[in-house]
Amino acid sequence: MKIGYPCMNRRIGCSSAKTFRLSSYSEHRLITTVGSNLACLLRILRFNVEHGIRFFRITSDLVPFASHPACAFAWQEHFGDSFKEIGRYIQHHGIRISMHPDQFTLVNALDERIFCQSVKELSYHAEVLDLLCLDASAKIQVHVGGVYGDKDASLMRFAGRYAKLDGLIRRRLVVENDERLYGLADCLRLHDETGIPVLFDVFHHAIFNRGETIPEAIDRASRTWKETDGLPLVDFSLQKPGARAGQHAQTIDVKAFLEFLEESRPFDLDIMLEIKDKEKSVIKAVRAAAKDPRFVRSNKE
DNA sequence: CAGTGTCAAGGTGGA
DNA sequence: TCCACCTTGACACTG
């Protein structure tokens, strides 16, 4: 089991998600920004290793406008050595990596142009992971997408499109249950149609479900992952107390997290904590799991 | 220089 | 048909 956090570290004072306005795009600006983002990414990974954290989601903003027509620069070659160096560090320390394109990436879009743009965005994500020389366990997670007035047809459109995606994308793509439109049952159906692994989001499931218990849900989602996909990935977060349903908590409730670990046994998972204070909560969670006698064994790795 | 409106991109759902 | 919301940091303009 590895416990990780997404994209940003609050402690070390740099960001690997620096960007700029499209209106101020220039090759020089791109080179400066990407160089600084990559340097920061390596710093974050080093921080993580020093704190026993071996799971991290790389931000989609690593290369701003990578899939936009404005970006004609061959950043892949220009920064090839930096990517290799970071990739070696990741492999040497056994770090699990994931990425999560944002809401504009819609495999099941009705509009063919939006689908094409989404493929470009997915290619960019796959390229980053390929340049890092990571195996197929480095995943790209997306939601099923829109309903477009016909949920069934839209789910099947995802299935049809998925089958035709470039293998470099398909080997990394996993689908995550959302909190409103496509729940765990829908994702499992998509898996039956396509073989795509299902990333289980515990928090979304708490908001939107068909009554499946956590152990049932973990069991079903885990079975959709093959050996080459690595350990099943899970997103974990908690409701911010007193806030509107769906808001992520500021910091982790360690007791609730340990309860989840207990419920998820005997499955071994890599768990992404989507909690606002990021690495701080992960450090707490890692520590708590390490000293809880119930999890000492599974946490040894 | 601090405060704040806005940013490449889409979809949903309420008014 | 229009607009707030999703979720979020950070850019870049305003006073």
Side-chain angles (χ1 to χ4, degrees):
Chain A
M1 173 181 71
K2 292 169 182 163
I3 304 174
Y5 62 100
C7 303
M8 235 159 297
N9 179 299
R10 308 245 177 221
R11 181 94 67 83
I12 65 179
C14 73
S15 167
S16 60
K18 282 226 184 294
T19 182
F20 47 87
R21 297 295 164 84
L22 181 57
S23 58
S24 50
Y25 182 95
S26 73
E27 202 170 288
H28 179 256
R29 190 78 191 262
L30 183 77
I31 292 172
T32 310
T33 306
V34 175
S36 132
N37 285 348
L38 287 171
C40 181
L41 174 58
L42 187 53
R43 280 185 63 196
I44 294 175
L45 294 171
R46 289 202 174 111
F47 171 98
N48 290 351
V49 168
E50 280 161 23
H51 291 82
I53 302 170
R54 290 190 156 71
F55 180 23
F56 187 67
R57 180 187 299 163
I58 295 178
T59 173
S60 297
D61 285 334
L62 192 70
V63 182
F65 305 108
S67 71
H68 192 279
C71 180
F73 180 69
W75 53 270
Q76 299 88 335
E77 286 153 41
H78 191 273
F79 290 104
D81 290 342
S82 301
F83 276 102
K84 270 205 193 97
E85 184 197 351
I86 297 169
R88 272 197 302 270
Y89 187 82
I90 289 168
Q91 283 167 299
H92 180 72
H93 292 283
I95 301 168
R96 184 79 183 272
I97 293 292
S98 68
M99 293 186 85
H100 192 348
D102 67 27
Q103 63 201 345
F104 307 107
T105 299
L106 292 158
V107 172
N108 79 347
L110 263 186
D111 185 331
E112 196 73 24
R113 285 165 303 180
I114 294 169
F115 169 65
C116 285
Q117 186 48 46
S118 299
V119 171
K120 283 186 192 143
E121 185 68 3
L122 289 172
S123 294
Y124 152 62
H125 285 76
E127 243 174 342
V128 166
L129 299 172
D130 288 345
L131 285 165
L132 294 169
C133 302
L134 303 181
D135 65 21
S137 74
K139 294 302 186 192
I140 302 169
Q141 62 190 89
V142 294
H143 295 289
V144 179
V147 167
Y148 307 99
D150 187 340
K151 186 166 163 178
D152 202 56
S154 296
L155 188 90
M156 293 311 288
R157 192 165 51 253
F158 187 113
R161 294 249 179 85
Y162 175 83
K164 287 187 269 183
L165 287 176
D166 189 315
L168 292 177
I169 295 172
R170 208 171 48 235
R171 67 198 276 261
R172 299 194 185 278
L173 204 62
V174 301
V175 70
E176 172 191 354
N177 57 301
D178 68 60
E179 60 195 351
R180 267 179 338 134
L181 306 176
Y182 296 95
L184 176 68
D186 300 309
C187 292
L188 290 170
R189 176 152 172 243
L190 199 52
H191 166 77
D192 290 339
E193 297 288 342
T194 62
I196 191 171
V198 176
L199 187 155
F200 179 59
D201 186 307
V202 183
F203 188 40
H204 290 164
H205 185 75
I207 296 169
F208 182 57
N209 62 72
R210 284 199 200 162
E212 307 93 337
T213 65
I214 295 291
E216 270 169 8
I218 299 274
D219 178 43
R220 288 183 199 161
S222 294
R223 289 174 197 284
T224 65
W225 293 67
K226 301 185 303 292
E227 189 74 29
T228 50
D229 293 319
L231 284 187
L233 298 179
V234 165
D235 281 354
F236 181 87
S237 116
L238 292 162
Q239 173 66 36
K240 179 176 185 176
R244 175 183 49 75
Q247 298 272 63
H248 289 190
Q250 179 60 36
T251 192
I252 194 165
D253 176 343
V254 171
K255 189 157 162 279
F257 178 68
L258 292 177
E259 271 166 31
F260 168 73
L261 283 191
E262 175 66 26
E263 283 185 299
S264 71
R265 286 202 297 178
F267 287 98
D268 199 1
L269 310 165
D270 286 338
I271 304 170
M272 175 71 55
L273 297 189
E274 296 185 316
I275 309 273
K276 288 225 164 59
D277 66 7
K278 309 281 178 179
E279 78 285 346
K280 200 168 164 189
S281 281
V282 177
I283 290 167
K284 278 199 232 172
V286 168
R287 198 169 294 159
K291 77 178 182 205
D292 189 311
R294 291 174 297 176
F295 309 119
V296 167
R297 202 198 312 168
S298 67
N299 205 38
K300 243 181 203 160
E301 164 27 8

